[in-house]
């Protein structure tokens, strides 16, 4: 029996044959990224318990294969799938979505989440307790996993909470000598052996006496609320390579095998939504600076939408909006999985984007789903800002907006009713996937998408991008939207046919370097961005043998961090080169 067959037999023995997938059709939705990235794998393995995950990891590492950890596969930079075939070892992709579980501790003020727990599941479990997780709809991908957010220091729309972060985690790493070791930094006494620790944790066999509450380790970012108020600081509020937010599992980008994280939860507050529109960006700058510095408590969220993003989101994000609006978020991951299976079937016959074109043809025939006042503001104003504040800050916000726009000829605002506020933020969320649908619905008329998430300096008043003519002429549409109070923007460029998206992205990097922006801001490097030195050092410390997710951030793919496979040298952005020098 070959070593490959022997490993497959071990994996089947660990999780059951039905959960070891090797057929190209069966593995497609796991090895193909949500927006980018795809490559071959030896197998996709879907363990159903923490102990099964431990056995899969041990067998794969002992067999000398690469491990790519994956949960919901909702990432936008290809960081949880293979990136082509240029690896020196076969890949075992371990999908953890079967290992669900959220354990409420400390009276609901904290939770312990297992690898398959999604943000949607966590939000629903906390709702009866009047609490919320770090991220909620509008600040995260539908179906995204809790642990995926921690691995990527994901940001989000919630201004007070900052990037997803914890110093309390249970994880496995591969040491210098190739041994797999389990590290329990959860702050919960669970036993001595891996088998005992993992079994007791999954069963919830621990009590209050086993939990340490004063370990000095944080379960959320304790500094961000004050950090974001510093509107005159000459640096961004948050970005993935920020060394102050890289700690073991936090920012690990799949360089560890995470079994559980312990996180803070937050009180759910009644809130009010204000909808602003303007043709003068400086008016929104003034609003941002005032509300961040003058309100006793920070706004809950502040989301920016440019008119073009509004339009493309309204048309090409309509199905996402309607699906969530009518059926809730729980149905969306299953809908995406079904879509992937159907697309995979048709791709075998050379037909791409079948479901996108069919769904778009149907939704184009439906009436507008957005409130009338939002559509009216779209016609009048180029720049839109959605502001959500807790009700104890609503009157101060209302009075300020009245003063700010009283004499304005370029902007206005209105206070949303409950339905308008809900739909405004849902529309903002639906925009995030609209560029992908546009590309698939217009194959042949457009090229690819260049997608950037960018953190501007907190004191940067020139936040509206001006592209040089030589780049502008290659672009069909520019979608600008983002987390305005944090100065984090998503910039999606739909380019013309024949335009090299990689070359386009490198030109964009030069513009961002000149603006002293940081990128990526919250989606992590994946296989699109180049990891900067602090991030590479973090990865090397976590994974000295380069067993997990090699090549992430354009790092070496070979065993022991060696270059391999005749890969072309990456084009380093100017900011990286200067940091190295």
């Amino acid at each position: 029996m070959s070593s490959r067959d022997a490993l497959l037999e071990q994996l089947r023995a660990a999780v059951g044959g039905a959960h070891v997938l090797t057929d190209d059709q069966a593995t497609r939705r796991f090895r193909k990224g949500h927006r980018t990235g795809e490559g071959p794998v030896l197998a996709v393995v879907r363990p159903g318990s923490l102990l099964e995950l431990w056995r899969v990891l041990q067998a794969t590492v002992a067999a000398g294969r690469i491990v790519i950890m994956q949960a919901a596969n909702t990432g936008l930079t290809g960081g949880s799938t293979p990136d082509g075939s240029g690896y020196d070892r076969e890949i075992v992709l371990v999908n953890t979505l079967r290992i669900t579980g959220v354990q409420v501790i400390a009276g609901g003020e904290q939770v312990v989440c297992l690898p398959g727990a999604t943000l949607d599941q966590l939000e629903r479990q906390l709702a009866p307790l009047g609490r919320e997780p770090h991220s909620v709809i509008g600040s995260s991908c539908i179906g995204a996993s809790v642990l995926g957010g921690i691995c990527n220091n994901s940001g989000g729309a919630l201004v007070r909470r900052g990037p997803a972060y914890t110093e309390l985690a249970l994880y496995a790493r591969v040491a210098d000598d190739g041994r797999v070791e389990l590290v329990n930094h959860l702050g919960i006494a669970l036993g001595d052996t891996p088998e005992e620790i993992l079994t007791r944790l999954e069963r919830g066999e621990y009590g209050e006496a086993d939990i340490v509450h004063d370990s000095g380790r944080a379960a959320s970012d304790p500094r961000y609320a004050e950090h974001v108020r510093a509107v005159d600081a000459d640096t961004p509020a948050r970005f993935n390579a920020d060394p102050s937010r890289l700690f073991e599992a936090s920012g690990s980008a799949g360089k560890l095998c995470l079994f559980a994280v312990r996180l803070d939860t937050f009180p759910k507050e009644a809130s009010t939504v204000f909808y602003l529109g303007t043709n003068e960006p400086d008016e929104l700058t003034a609003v941002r600076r005032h509300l961040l510095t003058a309100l006793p408590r920070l706004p809950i969220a502040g989301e920016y939408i440019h008119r073009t993003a509004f339009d493309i989101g309204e048309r090409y994000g309509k199905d996402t909006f309607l699906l969530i609006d009518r059926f809730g978020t729980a149905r969306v991951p299953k809908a995406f999985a079904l879509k992937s299976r159907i697309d995979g079937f048709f791709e075998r016959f050379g037909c791409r984007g079948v479901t996108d074109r069919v769904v778009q043809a149907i939704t184009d025939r439906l009436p507008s789903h957005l409130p009338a006042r939002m559509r009216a503001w779209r016609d009048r104003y180029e720049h839109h800002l959605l502001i959500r504040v807790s009700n104890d800050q609503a009157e101060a916000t209302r009075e300020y907006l009245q003063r700010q726009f009283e004499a304005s000829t370029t902007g206005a605002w209105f206070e949303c009713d409950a339905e308008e506020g809900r739909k405004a933020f849902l529309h903002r969320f639906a925009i995030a996937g609209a560029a992908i649908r546009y590309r698939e619905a217009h194959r042949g008329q457009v090229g690819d998408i260049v997608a950037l998430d960018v953190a501007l300096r907190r004191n940067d008043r020139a936040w509206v991008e001006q592209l040089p003519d030589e780049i502008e002429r290659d672009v069909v549409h520019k979608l600008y939207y983002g987390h305005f109070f944090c100065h984090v923007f998503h910039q999606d460029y739909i380019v013309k046919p024949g335009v090299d998206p990689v070359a386009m992205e490198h030109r964009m990097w030069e513009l961002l370097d000149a603006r002293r922006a940081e990128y990526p801001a919250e989606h992590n490097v994946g296989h699109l961005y180049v990891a900067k030195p602090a991030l590479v050092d973090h990865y090397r410390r976590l994974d000295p043998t380069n067993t997990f997710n090699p090549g992430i951030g354009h790092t070496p793919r070979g065993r022991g961090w060696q270059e391999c496979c005749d890969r072309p040298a990456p084009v380093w952005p100017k900011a990286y080169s200067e940091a190295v020098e």
Side-chain angles (χ1 to χ4, degrees), residues 534-567:
L535 208 51
V536 175
D537 289 346
H538 184 54
Y539 296 160
R540 283 181 176 269
R541 287 193 299 271
L542 297 178
D543 183 23
T545 65
N546 209 21
T547 294
F548 291 102
N549 213 5
I552 198 81
H554 292 259
T555 56
R557 295 190 180 192
R559 192 189 310 268
W561 293 85
Q562 299 299 307
E563 291 290 357
C564 78
C565 315
D566 298 321
R567 292 176 66 214

Side-chain angles (χ1 to χ4, degrees), residues 434-450:
I436 302 172
R437 167 61 55 74
Y438 185 98
R439 178 189 63 189
E440 296 304 319
H442 294 276
R443 284 280 178 189
Q445 289 85 50
V446 302
D448 212 329
I449 299 170
V450 175

Side-chain angles (χ1 to χ4, degrees), residues 6 26 50-51 82 108 139 146 184 196 216 265 275 283 322 330 372 380 426 441 456 495 498 520 525 576:
L50 295 181
L51 198 54
S139 63
V146 178
N184 182 7
E196 182 184 11
T265 68
Y275 198 107
E283 290 188 319
L322 294 175
R380 293 170 58 183
L426 183 50
L456 300 183
V495 301
V525 290
Y576 183 97

Side-chain angles (χ1 to χ4, degrees), residues 399-569:
E399 290 176 357
Y400 167 72
L401 293 177
Q402 288 171 343
R403 294 194 308 271
Q404 175 68 18
F405 288 93
E406 184 175 18
S408 175
T409 60
T410 56
W413 64 281
F414 64 87
E415 185 172 335
C416 296
D417 61 30
E419 186 76 351
E420 288 172 325
R422 183 180 65 82
K423 288 188 173 181
F425 274 89
L426 183 50
H427 176 54
R428 158 62 186 89
F429 173 80
I431 290 170
I436 302 172
R437 167 61 55 74
Y438 185 98
R439 178 189 63 189
E440 296 304 319
H442 294 276
R443 284 280 178 189
Q445 289 85 50
V446 302
D448 212 329
I449 299 170
V450 175
L452 303 174
D453 64 298
V454 178
L456 300 183
R457 291 168 293 138
R458 284 167 282 176
N459 65 352
D460 192 345
R461 294 173 182 263
W463 52 271
V464 177
E465 182 177 64
Q466 302 294 326
L467 292 178
D469 290 342
E470 62 270 20
I471 294 180
E472 187 77 54
R473 63 172 175 250
D474 288 338
V475 177
V476 178
H477 289 299
K478 300 171 293 185
L479 281 69
Y480 297 112
Y481 53 99
H483 315 307
F484 190 64
F485 289 145
C486 303
H487 251 200
V488 166
F489 292 87
H490 301 289
Q491 302 178 178
D492 296 345
Y493 308 89
I494 303 171
V495 301
K496 294 179 179 178
V499 174
D500 182 348
V502 176
M504 168 74 83
E505 184 167 3
H506 294 163
R507 286 189 285 170
M508 294 293 188
W509 287 350
E510 293 177 5
L511 299 178
L512 294 173
D513 290 341
R515 299 173 71 186
R516 293 165 56 204
E518 289 284 353
Y519 52 94
E522 61 181 8
H523 290 155
N524 221 322
V525 290
H527 290 286
L528 295 184
Y529 296 93
V530 176
K532 294 183 179 178
L535 208 51
V536 175
D537 289 346
H538 184 54
Y539 296 160
R540 283 181 176 269
R541 287 193 299 271
L542 297 178
D543 183 23
T545 65
N546 209 21
T547 294
F548 291 102
N549 213 5
I552 198 81
H554 292 259
T555 56
R557 295 190 180 192
R559 192 189 310 268
W561 293 85
Q562 299 299 307
E563 291 290 357
C564 78
C565 315
D566 298 321
R567 292 176 66 214

